[in-house]
Amino acid sequence: MKKYLSNDFDLSDYANVSDECSIWSAPFGLKLLDYIDYKQNISALDIGFGTGFPLTEIALRLGESSTVFGIDPWSDAIARARKKIEYYRISNIKIFEGVAESIPLKDNSVDLIVSNNGINNVSDINQVISECSRIIKSGGQFVQTMNLDKSMFEFYGQLEKVLSDLGMNPEIELMKQHIYQKRRPIDEIISIIQSHGFIIKDLEHDQFNYKFSNGSAMLNHYFIRLAFMDSWIKILPEKKLEQIFDTIEMQLNDQAKTLGGIKLTIPFVIINAIKK
Ligand SMILES: C[S@@+](CC[C@H](N)C(=O)[O-])C[C@H]1O[C@@H](n2cnc3c(N)ncnc32)[C@H](O)[C@@H]1O
């Protein structure tokens, strides 16, 4: 009997592996999945798959005739991805624990490269795109998503105002540098991609809103603390930290009273490119 005709997945084990991706990753990911040309018998690579997204989803959607490689340096996340791969019974994934600045695949060997919010997190974007250009076949598809430099402008606007009121201009510069390091302007990204022999077929802008009841709820949210707080703290002097964040929290809370909550806008792009 065909194996898909029976649902023999253990629901108690499913609790350990459910959630293909985080709420943060989902808006980017759904768009990325839409742009992929799903074909049979191809070789694909996911850069920065974290706990398995979109690696597992793509492997399943392409089917067993294709092979999907994934590369990421984060070993704890890889361990969780492996659990999902085992539970979903996926046999066409090969994982490399490492960085995309050096991809252990042959020249002209893959048909599809994807990265959901991965390439904007690497240390050397130019080197990663150069590696993508080396391993992808002519006519191959390269789809990636990333959030843009205006991400959370509502928060950064408040931070800049507070720093300006305190006469902390060097810290304002550090804040701008931090945004530049984390979220390079889209024109720069595009020119890097084009300089490595890709043609941009589609560039779609989108955004989602990260909404909270007020500033206190936002600043205490686990993902804000885990993914962003350290980098904000790094650019500020320790002795002024409490004062700065007290003021920001108060101002965001005041805004929330008038506006009925606060929101952080997350603008992002989907870049769909083809190798010449
Ligand atoms: C924002 S997470 C995205 C994870 C996943 N793609 C998703 O959509 O949920 C960025 C990922 O990039 C990985 N990463 C960071 N530097 C990398 C590098 N140099 N090469 C490959 N992956 C890298 C991180 O370990 C992390 O898993």
Side-chain angles (χ1 to χ4, degrees):
M1 194 169 77
K2 287 179 182 294
K3 64 180 177 189
Y4 62 74
L5 291 177
S6 85
N7 172 10
D8 53 356
F9 288 100
D10 184 331
L11 261 190
S12 59
D13 283 350
Y14 185 54
N16 295 318
V17 294
S18 68
D19 309 332
E20 284 88 340
C21 66
S22 66
I23 286 177
W24 175 264
S25 298
F28 304 86
L30 288 173
K31 283 284 182 180
L32 180 139
L33 289 170
D34 254 3
Y35 270 94
I36 294 171
D37 295 329
Y38 296 90
K39 294 177 185 157
Q40 294 208 310
N41 295 303
I42 67 164
S43 187
L45 170 72
D46 180 7
I47 295 177
F49 60 84
T51 61
F53 187 82
L55 182 69
T56 57
E57 191 61 24
I58 288 173
L60 288 165
R61 291 190 188 202
L62 289 173
E64 287 178 354
S65 65
S66 296
T67 301
V68 185
F69 298 95
I71 188 162
D72 199 298
W74 184 10
S75 48
D76 291 332
I78 292 175
R80 181 141 202 272
R82 286 195 196 282
K83 277 190 196 159
K84 294 180 186 175
I85 292 165
E86 190 185 337
Y87 182 85
Y88 302 157
R89 294 169 214 164
I90 302 175
S91 56
N92 56 336
I93 288 180
K94 293 196 174 109
I95 286 177
F96 303 121
E97 183 171 338
V99 292
E101 281 83 349
S102 170
I103 302 172
L105 288 171
K106 292 201 178 101
D107 297 2
N108 304 312
S109 61
V110 305
D111 305 272
L112 168 70
I113 301 176
V114 300
S115 186
N116 194 47
N117 237 327
I119 289 179
N120 48 333
N121 281 290
V122 306
S123 318
D124 186 343
I125 293 185
N126 192 55
Q127 174 60 20
V128 170
I129 306 285
S130 159
E131 276 292 83
C132 291
S133 174
R134 177 184 66 76
I135 63 166
I136 200 164
K137 296 176 190 170
S138 171
Q141 189 188 15
F142 182 19
V143 196
Q144 55 182 303
T145 60
M146 60 184 66
N147 59 316
L148 295 172
D149 46 0
K150 292 285 179 291
S151 291
M152 304 188 178
F153 72 87
E154 299 89 344
F155 168 79
Y156 285 105
Q158 280 297 338
L159 177 58
E160 183 168 352
K161 186 174 173 307
V162 172
L163 293 177
S164 167
D165 290 348
L166 292 169
M168 296 172 70
N169 291 330
E171 281 75 11
I172 294 179
E173 267 324 295
L174 287 177
M175 182 192 93
K176 289 181 179 164
Q177 277 170 28
H178 145 78
I179 293 173
Y180 176 78
Q181 292 302 332
K182 290 267 173 192
R183 299 178 274 276
R184 300 275 284 274
I186 186 63
D187 292 351
E188 269 186 43
I189 301 285
I190 295 289
S191 71
I192 296 173
I193 295 171
Q194 288 173 329
S195 74
H196 287 289
F198 290 95
I199 298 168
I200 309 285
K201 189 175 171 203
D202 303 284
L203 179 71
E204 183 182 337
H205 285 256
D206 201 346
Q207 67 174 54
F208 63 95
N209 298 319
Y210 214 7
K211 290 186 171 182
F212 303 87
S213 70
N214 65 6
S216 305
M218 175 215 141
L219 291 164
N220 280 291
H221 190 291
Y222 98 91
F223 193 72
I224 295 289
R225 293 177 59 192
L226 183 145
F228 305 104
M229 190 55 83
D230 281 351
S231 52
W232 296 338
I233 288 173
K234 239 183 240 160
I235 57 176
L236 303 170
E238 204 184 329
K239 55 182 186 320
K240 291 258 170 80
L241 208 53
E242 289 267 347
Q243 183 192 358
I244 292 166
F245 273 92
D246 263 354
T247 314
I248 293 176
E249 187 176 353
M250 221 168 53
Q251 289 179 353
L252 291 174
N253 287 350
D254 280 349
Q255 275 180 25
K257 280 185 201 144
T258 316
L259 301 174
I262 60 161
K263 75 167 184 190
L264 300 176
T265 308
I266 316 294
F268 68 97
V269 282
I270 306 97
I271 307 170
N272 180 23
I274 305 293
K275 178 73 190 297
K276 278 186 214 159

